[in-house]
Amino acid sequence: MAQAKKSKRLTSLCRGIAWSAGLLVVLAGQQMKAETLADALVGAYKTSGLLEQNRALLRAADEDVAAAVAALRPILSYSADLTRDFGDRRSLTTTGSSTLSELESTTGTIGLAASLLLYDGGATSLGVDAAKETVLGTRQQLISLEQSVLLRAVSAYLNVVAAREFVSLRQNNLRLLTQELRAAQDRFEVGEVTRTDVAQAEASLAEARSGLATAQGDLLQAVEEYRNVVGNTPGQLSPPPSLPRLESNVENARARAIQSHPDLRAAQHFVAVAELNILRAKAALNPTVSAVGSLGVSEDFGNSDYTRSGSVGIELSGPIYRGGALSSGIRSAMASRDSQRGNLIEVRKQVSQDVGNAYASLAAQRASLQASEERIRAARIAFEGVREEATLGARTTLDVLDAEQELLDAETSRISAQANLYVAAYAVLQATGRLTARDLSLGVQQYDPSAYYDLVKDAPVPSSAQGQRLNRVLRALQKD
C-alpha cells in the first residue's frame, strides 16, 4: 500500500514536472515569436513603397548617364520606302493630233545613314559628367529617405508598446476604482461615509472608463500606423533594446554630421551639376564637327533601271545668331548654380541645427524620465498613506481618489517619457546621418545603388551579354 502511494506521488510529481516543462516550452516559443525593434525596422525597409519609388527614380537617373554616353557613339539609322506612281499623260504630236498614255511605276528605296560626333567643344562629355553627379546626388537623397522611413518605424514600434501599456494601466486603474466604489458603498451602508463620497467614486469610475476607451482607440490607431509602416499587424512586441550608442559630445556629432550627412552630400553633388551645366551652356557656342556617311539603293520594278549611291563626309556646323538664346542659357545656368550654392548653405545650417535640436530633445527626455520616476515614487507613497488614513477616518473618499489619479498620471507620464526617449535617441542618429540599414547592421539584404548603375553606365544594347543580364534584372524588379 505504501509502495502504491509512493508510486502515485512519483507519477504526480512527474506529471507536474512535465507540465512545468511544457509551460516553459510554450513561454519560450512565445518569447521567440515576439517581434523586436530590429524586426520592425527590417519590415519597414523591405516593404516601404516610398523606398521603392525613389529606387526607381535612381534607376532613371542611372539611365540618364547611359543616354549621355550614347551621344558620344556612332549613330546608325535606316530608311526604306516603296512608292507606286500612277496617272495619265496627254501629249500633242507635230501633226496636231494627241496621244494618251498611262503613267505607272513602282520604285523601292533603301538607305543607311551614319554619323559620329567628333567635336562639340566638350558639351556632350560635360553632359555625361553632369549625369553622373546627378546619380551621386540622387543616391544620397535615397539614403536620407531611408533614414526617415526607419525613424518612422521606430516611432510606430514604440507607439504600439506605449499604447498597450496605457491600456493595461487604464484597465488596472478601472479595476481599482471599481473596488473603491464597492468599498465606498459598503461604508455608506454602515454610515461611515455620505452619499457624496459614493457619488465621487462613481464619477471617478466613469472617468476611468472614458480614459480606457480613449487608450484603446489610441492603440488601434498605433496598430494601423505600425501596419502601414512595417507591413504587418504587430504581434507580441519585445521591450525596446538598450539605447543606441551616440556621440557624447554634441559638437563632435555636429562635425561628423557636416562631413557625412546625406542631405549635405546631395546638395554638394547638385552644386557640381550646376557648375557643369554652366560649362555645357558655354560649350554650345563652339562649332560641332561630325563624320557622316550614307548608302542608298533605289530600283524601279517596272524596268531594269536602278541606282546605287554612297557618300562619306565631314560636317561642320555652329551658331551665328540665335536671338540671344545661347547667352540666356548661360545666364540661366549661372543663376541655377547660385541657387544650388545657396541651398548648400541652408542645408549645412539645417543639418547643424538638427543635431543640436536632437541632442537637446534627448537631454530633455532623459530628464523627463528621471522626474517621472521620482514622481511615481512620491505619488505611490502618498496614495498608500492617504488610503490608510482613510480607513481610520482621517481622509475622505475624494482624497483617496485624488491620490490615485496622481499616481495614474505619474505612471502615464513615465510610459510616454520612455517611448519619447527612444525616439529622441534614434532621431539623433538620423540627425547625424547614421540611421541606415548599414549603420544599424540590420539583418536584411540591403539595396545596392551601384548594381544597376554598373549595368547601364556603358549603355548596353539588348543583344549584348550585359544587355541580357540587364533584362534579367528588370524582370526580377517587375516581379518584386
Side-chain angles (χ1 to χ4, degrees), residues 85-163:
D85 295 325
F86 56 88
D88 298 327
R89 182 173 63 184
R90 182 186 178 201
S91 60
L92 295 175
T93 63
T94 56
T95 60
S97 60
S98 62
T99 60
L100 187 64
S101 59
E102 293 182 356
L103 297 177
E104 290 187 2
S105 65
T106 302
T107 305
T109 303
I110 298 176
L112 292 176
S115 65
L116 174 63
L117 178 66
L118 300 178
Y119 174 80
D120 65 350
T124 303
S125 297
L126 290 169
V128 174
D129 294 337
K132 290 180 178 179
E133 288 290 342
T134 301
V135 166
L136 296 177
T138 307
R139 287 181 184 178
Q140 295 301 319
Q141 288 180 328
L142 180 60
I143 294 175
S144 181
L145 184 65
E146 177 185 331
Q147 291 201 130
S148 299
V149 168
L150 293 181
L151 183 62
R152 187 178 174 187
V154 171
S155 180
Y157 184 93
L158 291 168
N159 282 344
V160 172
V161 172

Side-chain angles (χ1 to χ4, degrees), residues 408-421:
L408 175 65
D409 292 342
E411 291 174 337
T412 301
S413 177
R414 178 178 62 181
I415 294 173
S416 297
Q418 287 174 333
N420 292 338
L421 177 62

Side-chain angles (χ1 to χ4, degrees), residues 53-65:
Q53 174 191 0
N54 283 269
R55 288 166 183 166
L57 292 176
L58 175 58
R59 292 194 295 271
D62 294 340
E63 295 292 354
D64 289 339
V65 176

Side-chain angles (χ1 to χ4, degrees), residues 29-40:
Q30 291 178 347
Q31 185 66 26
M32 289 177 62
K33 293 179 182 178
E35 297 177 44
T36 64
L37 178 58
D39 293 332

Side-chain angles (χ1 to χ4, degrees), residues 11 13 29 34 59 62 90 194 203 236 252 264 304 323 334 336 365 413 415 447 453 477:
T11 301
L13 179 61
R59 292 194 295 271
D62 294 340
R90 182 186 178 201
T194 65
Q236 181 183 354
N252 292 341
L264 196 57
S304 58
M334 289 180 174
S336 296
Q365 295 304 329
S413 177
I415 294 173
Y447 182 79
Y453 174 82
L477 289 172

